[in-house]
């Protein structure tokens, strides 16, 4: 059977741009058709911004790669029109089990809170997510939205100018040139854009190798995340087993630093390792094997004039915690409404500097969490191994030690505390929905709060009077009037002990400001601030 | 309070653990052992209660669950 990752989904086709006398200029060009680049393209196209995606390949990536997609990503995918297809295909899981040496030391349940549309996590091979995103791009193009992917278009050189970027592109039929008013580089951890621009990418290298295998098997392991510290089948190292759709299981085996990477990838090495882990009698087929090393690092800044970096091109984390693809999609979610607003003249370029502040903040939080997990999983000194093993030993007997066990702190969205776009926060309202926080979902009858928000700014008015329509700072604000009586989830997440509240919500569903009652001047000031407009003034 | 608390009691377990690892950074094994000894004595003094400390010693000394 031909696998999805063996099929060209956007094969090379000659474009009239290649025969143009002078290089055509596009509004936005995105480099890289991975999950991050595709998410950015869909978001912009849905906002009416013309976008061209260039990728040197013509198909989705091979192997499972990023497999774990968090609730926040699923909520973003809902806005991109891919939420249902991802959740329907994905495997929803909540339970995990931790092993140490030969012992099953404890189990945990992520116990997802009720009253949210999306689960805490799904497992889904990256190639499926990319396939769904490509199909969404194609559906938007068929509807007449200004979006296209050009396969086997490799950028060879980048020229930066004050009002555009010039691209030299190589294709199977020779080179051509394009201009882009804005360039979004989503071209991965080894970003050619970053290299061509000679930009820094600093941080820590971890001296370790991990074997990843996608194994097809009919096994009766439960749908749980299993993590081993120092198991008999991989002495002194760690191991991870995770279920994916189609009876594909993902196995990560830590190998240590000093290994022959080519030899370790060969089936005659891999299969005995897997048999030792799974049992001699389990029948399986290897779908994909890779060896990875990782670094925790980021660029000093993500915006360089008209070139903006997102995803692994801008920041890299260790894989423990599923913070790579999830944070990359949050980058695009943060960027695209801002870029669309700048392009339509509703905000100045200053708004894009907040992308830099907010996503650098997010990257630092992800790097901190994934670095801590890495240090727990692979202790770097004798004393850190002593403590690590003491924690695991105590965790088998005592609940108190379990929060110290760190096999990855799974991705949750960051809260932009003290972010440049935040204003008034009424601290008497619930902490979790404070200014800078992503909006917690809540049921609304048979529907969900997040699905009821507008594509631009939304004002939530809960049990308090407010105008039916709102136009401020040059923007139409969607007004959503809600009643928290008979809706305990909404009341708990948005009101706390207060009888009423007003929330100003950004297009990316982060809270910009909140009050206990409506005040037009306060809302207008907060809206101006959240689009980086000088207070009380006009864009200049 | 004379019972040893074996329930979750740390506000930020990851932050504490990172700080604990950080004070050991760059130390030799002997220096780390000495640091740990000082740390235990400081915490024991803070706890103060003999019954609690006696119970903690028993829990920590329980060899039956430790890997060989």
């Amino acid at each position: 059977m031909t696998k999805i990752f063996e099929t060209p989904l956007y094969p090379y086709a000659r474009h009239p741009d290649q025969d143009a006398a002078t290089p055509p200029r596009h509004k936005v060009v995105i480099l890289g058709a991975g999950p991050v680049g595709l998410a950015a393209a869909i978001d912009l196209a849905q906002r009416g911004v013309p976008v061209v995606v260039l990728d040197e390949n013509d198909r989705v990536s091979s192997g499972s790669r990023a497999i774990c997609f968090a609730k926040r990503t699923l909520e973003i995918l809902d806005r991109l029109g891919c939420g249902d297809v991802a959740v329907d295909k994905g495997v929803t899981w909540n339970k995990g089990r931790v092993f140490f040496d030969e012992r099953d030391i404890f189990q945990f349940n992520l116990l997802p809170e009720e009253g949210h549309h999306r689960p805490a996590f799904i497992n889904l091979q990256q190639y499926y997510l990319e396939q769904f995103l490509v199909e969404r791009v194609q559906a938007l193009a068929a509807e007449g939205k200004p979006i296209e992917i050009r396969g086997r278009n490799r950028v060879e050189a980048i020229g930066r100018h004050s009002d555009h970027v010039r691209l030299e592109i190589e294709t199977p039929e020779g080179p051509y040139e394009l201009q882009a008013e804005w360039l979004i580089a989503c071209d991965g951890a080894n970003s050619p854009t970053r290299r061509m621009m000679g930009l820094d990418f600093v941080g820590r290298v971890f001296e370790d190798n991990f074997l990843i295998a996608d194994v097809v098997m009919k096994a009766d392991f439960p749908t749980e995340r299993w993590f081993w510290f120092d198991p008999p089948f991989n002495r002194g190292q760690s191991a991870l087993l995770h279920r994916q759709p189609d009876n594909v299981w993902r196995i990560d085996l830590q190998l240590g630093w000093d290994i022959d990477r080519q030899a370790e990838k060969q089936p005659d090495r891999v299969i005995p390792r897997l048999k030792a882990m799974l049992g001699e009698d389990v029948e399986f087929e290897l779908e994909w094997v890779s060896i990875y090393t990782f670094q925790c690092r980021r660029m000093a800044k993500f915006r360089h004039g008209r070139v903006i970096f997102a995803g692994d091109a801008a920041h890299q984390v260790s894989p423990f915690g599923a913070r790579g693809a999830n944070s990359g999609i949050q980058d695009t979610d943060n960027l695209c409404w801002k870029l669309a607003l700048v392009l339509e003249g509703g905000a100045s370029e200053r708004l894009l500097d907040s992308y830099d502040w907010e996503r650098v903040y997010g990257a630092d939080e992800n790097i901190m969490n994934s670095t801590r997990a890495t240090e727990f999983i692979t202790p770097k000194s004798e004393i850190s191994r002593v403590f690590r093993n003491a924690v695991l030993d105590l965790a088998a007997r005592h609940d108190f030690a379990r929060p110290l066990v760190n096999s990855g702190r799974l991705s949750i969205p960051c809260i932009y505390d003290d972010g440049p776009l935040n204003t008034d926060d009424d601290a008497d309202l619930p902490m979790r929905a404070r200014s800078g926080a992503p909006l917690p979902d809540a049921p609304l009858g048979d529907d969900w709060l997040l699905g009821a928000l507008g594509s631009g700014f939304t004002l939530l008015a809960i049990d308090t009077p407010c105008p039916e329509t709102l136009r401020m700072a040059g923007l139409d604000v969607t007004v959503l009037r809600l009643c928290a009586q008979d809706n305990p989830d909404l009341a708990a997440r948005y009101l706390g002990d207060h009888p009423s509240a007003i929330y100003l919500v950004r297009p990316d569903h982060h809270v910009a400001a909140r009050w206990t009652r409506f005040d037009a001047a306060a809302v207008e000031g907060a809206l101006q601030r959240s689009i980086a407009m000088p207070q009380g003034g006009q864009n200049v | 309070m004379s019972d040893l608390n074996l329930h979750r009691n740390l506000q930020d377990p990851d932050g504490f653990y990172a700080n604990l690892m950080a004070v050991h950074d760059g130390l030799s094994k002997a220096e780390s052992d000495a640091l740990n000894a000082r740390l235990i004595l400081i915490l024991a003094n803070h706890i103060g209660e003999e019954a609690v400390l006696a119970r903690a010693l028993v829990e920590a000394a329980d060899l039956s669950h430790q890997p060989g």
Side-chain angles (χ1 to χ4, degrees):
Chain A
M1 196 182 84
T2 310
K3 303 279 187 189
I4 183 66
F5 50 81
E6 293 165 351
T7 312
L9 293 185
Y10 41 92
Y12 169 76
R14 191 171 187 87
H15 191 279
D17 282 359
Q18 290 170 251
D19 301 311
T22 56
R25 184 175 289 199
H26 291 268
K27 288 276 183 201
V28 178
V29 172
I30 293 171
L31 302 186
V36 177
L38 292 169
I42 293 167
D43 199 335
L44 289 168
Q46 288 186 161
R47 295 180 187 281
V49 175
V51 58
V52 177
V53 182
L54 305 178
D55 196 287
E56 62 180 327
N57 216 320
D58 59 7
R59 61 196 70 185
V60 296
S61 59
S62 62
S64 54
R65 297 174 192 273
I67 61 162
C68 207
F69 296 96
K71 177 169 167 291
R72 171 72 177 159
T73 299
L74 300 175
E75 291 166 353
I76 295 168
L77 290 176
D78 278 332
R79 302 208 283 283
L80 302 180
C82 300
D84 284 339
V85 69
V87 173
D88 290 349
K89 181 70 187 177
V91 173
T92 299
W93 62 276
N94 298 311
K95 290 184 180 160
R97 203 178 275 266
V98 177
F99 301 83
F100 177 37
D101 192 7
E102 293 185 1
R103 293 174 295 152
D104 177 352
I105 58 171
F106 70 96
Q107 301 168 40
F108 61 86
N109 190 336
L110 296 173
L111 276 182
E113 189 181 55
E114 294 294 311
H116 292 259
H117 184 199
R118 293 309 184 191
F121 286 97
I122 62 164
N123 285 355
L124 181 72
Q125 294 91 324
Q126 182 174 327
Y127 51 77
Y128 277 127
L129 180 64
E130 291 182 18
Q131 179 197 347
F132 301 150
L133 291 166
V134 168
E135 286 167 356
R136 177 65 180 155
V137 167
Q138 290 164 344
L140 286 168
E143 288 169 21
K145 293 280 191 208
I147 185 168
E148 55 169 315
I149 310 178
R150 298 186 191 172
R152 301 185 68 192
N153 273 237
R154 190 176 70 244
V155 173
E156 295 281 336
I158 291 174
R160 294 165 64 193
H161 301 270
S162 62
D163 64 343
H164 73 280
V165 179
R166 187 178 51 80
L167 300 169
E168 290 176 22
I169 300 159
E170 190 57 50
T171 76
E173 294 183 301
Y176 73 108
E177 284 192 18
L178 281 185
Q179 294 181 356
E181 287 186 28
W182 295 90
L183 183 72
I184 309 179
C186 309
D187 47 358
N190 298 314
S191 171
T193 309
R194 203 183 56 227
R195 197 189 60 239
M196 284 185 275
M197 290 172 62
L199 297 169
D200 60 329
F201 198 39
V202 293
R204 289 181 53 188
V205 181
F206 288 86
E207 297 195 337
D208 216 328
N209 290 279
F210 285 77
L211 177 79
I212 338 174
D214 283 341
V215 166
V216 186
M217 62 178 175
K218 290 212 164 55
D220 50 9
F221 299 113
T223 305
E224 297 177 348
R225 178 188 195 264
W226 285 13
F227 197 96
W228 287 262
F229 293 97
D230 193 15
F233 58 83
N234 198 25
R235 254 318 152 208
Q237 311 285 3
S238 65
L240 175 72
L241 176 70
H242 235 182
R243 181 179 215 151
Q244 308 176 71
D246 305 339
N247 292 316
V248 177
W249 295 76
R250 165 70 172 265
I251 292 165
D252 291 39
L253 290 170
Q254 187 191 356
L255 299 181
W257 182 236
D258 199 14
I259 60 157
D260 180 343
R261 299 181 67 189
Q262 277 312 314
E264 290 294 347
K265 266 198 276 197
Q266 302 310 312
D268 65 325
R269 289 280 187 95
V270 174
I271 287 169
R273 282 187 182 280
L274 296 178
K275 281 188 184 259
M277 176 178 181
L278 301 168
E280 283 295 325
D281 304 333
V282 175
E283 283 186 29
F284 61 82
E285 181 195 324
L286 271 181
E287 183 175 271
W288 176 67
V289 177
S290 181
I291 289 184
Y292 66 85
T293 57
F294 54 80
Q295 313 201 351
C296 287
R297 56 182 179 172
R298 68 165 170 86
M299 300 176 72
K301 57 193 187 87
F302 299 168
R303 182 189 169 206
H304 292 262
R306 297 223 158 204
V307 183
I308 300 168
F309 291 82
D312 282 356
H315 45 76
Q316 244 187 301
V317 293
S318 82
F320 311 110
R323 288 166 183 270
N326 283 302
S327 68
I329 287 173
Q330 288 171 55
D331 289 345
T332 69
D333 191 50
N334 186 290
L335 173 64
C336 289
W337 69 270
K338 296 174 181 174
L339 185 55
L341 201 57
V342 169
L343 277 163
E344 70 194 35
S348 79
E349 280 183 34
R350 273 194 311 275
L351 181 57
L352 298 174
D353 292 330
S354 72
Y355 166 76
D356 206 80
W357 191 99
E358 291 178 336
R359 295 316 299 163
V360 164
Y361 183 90
D364 284 346
E365 188 172 295
N366 287 321
I367 287 170
M368 179 185 79
N369 277 294
S370 75
T371 301
R372 286 175 175 179
T374 306
E375 291 186 339
F376 193 86
I377 292 164
T378 61
K380 64 182 176 186
S381 67
E382 192 181 346
I383 198 68
S384 58
R385 186 173 293 274
V386 166
F387 271 109
R388 198 280 305 269
N389 290 352
V391 166
L392 292 170
D393 186 51
L394 288 166
R397 285 180 283 163
H398 298 302
D399 178 66
F400 88 86
R402 291 174 192 170
L404 291 164
V405 175
N406 192 344
S407 66
R409 297 284 178 242
L410 295 166
S411 173
I412 51 168
C414 71
I415 296 176
Y416 303 129
D417 281 320
D418 305 317
L421 305 185
N422 302 353
T423 8
D424 313 0
D425 186 69
D426 192 318
D428 291 338
L429 291 166
M431 273 291 279
R432 66 187 290 178
R434 64 187 183 272
S435 292
L439 217 55
D441 204 359
L444 288 186
D446 295 333
D447 214 327
W448 300 96
L449 174 62
L450 296 185
L453 300 169
S455 60
F457 279 84
T458 301
L459 194 81
L460 294 184
I462 305 171
D463 294 322
T464 191
C466 131
E468 281 182 38
T469 60
L470 214 56
R471 185 172 169 80
M472 287 173 164
L475 301 173
D476 287 313
V477 178
T478 303
V479 177
L480 198 58
R481 294 197 284 182
L482 303 172
C483 175
Q485 280 149 23
D486 306 322
N487 191 339
D489 289 329
L490 186 69
R493 291 167 200 173
Y494 288 92
L495 297 181
D497 296 329
H498 271 273
S500 65
I502 295 277
Y503 283 78
L504 180 64
V505 183
R506 302 175 358 177
D508 58 8
H509 295 183
H510 279 261
V511 176
R514 58 183 190 164
W515 308 267
T516 51
R517 58 184 57 247
F518 181 78
D519 175 329
V523 173
E524 182 161 32
L527 194 57
Q528 287 169 341
R529 188 174 171 94
S530 66
I531 59 171
M533 188 190 280
Q535 297 291 288
Q538 294 295 313
N539 271 321
V540 284
Chain B
M1 231 275 296
S2 60
D3 287 344
L4 177 67
N5 183 2
L6 290 169
H7 299 290
R8 303 171 187 217
N9 195 34
L10 293 170
Q11 297 279 325
D12 174 13
D14 287 348
F16 163 70
Y17 197 82
N19 289 339
L20 179 61
M21 292 302 106
V23 294
H24 284 282
D25 229 1
L27 301 189
S28 69
K29 181 65 169 63
E31 289 166 335
S32 276
D33 287 346
L35 187 152
N36 284 334
R38 293 192 295 273
L39 180 63
I40 291 164
L41 295 171
I42 289 167
L43 294 175
N45 177 64
H46 179 83
I47 294 161
E49 292 186 49
E50 217 166 301
V52 173
L53 292 167
R55 184 86 192 108
L57 290 173
V58 170
E59 283 300 333
D62 182 353
L63 294 174
S64 64
H65 295 274
Q66 286 183 7

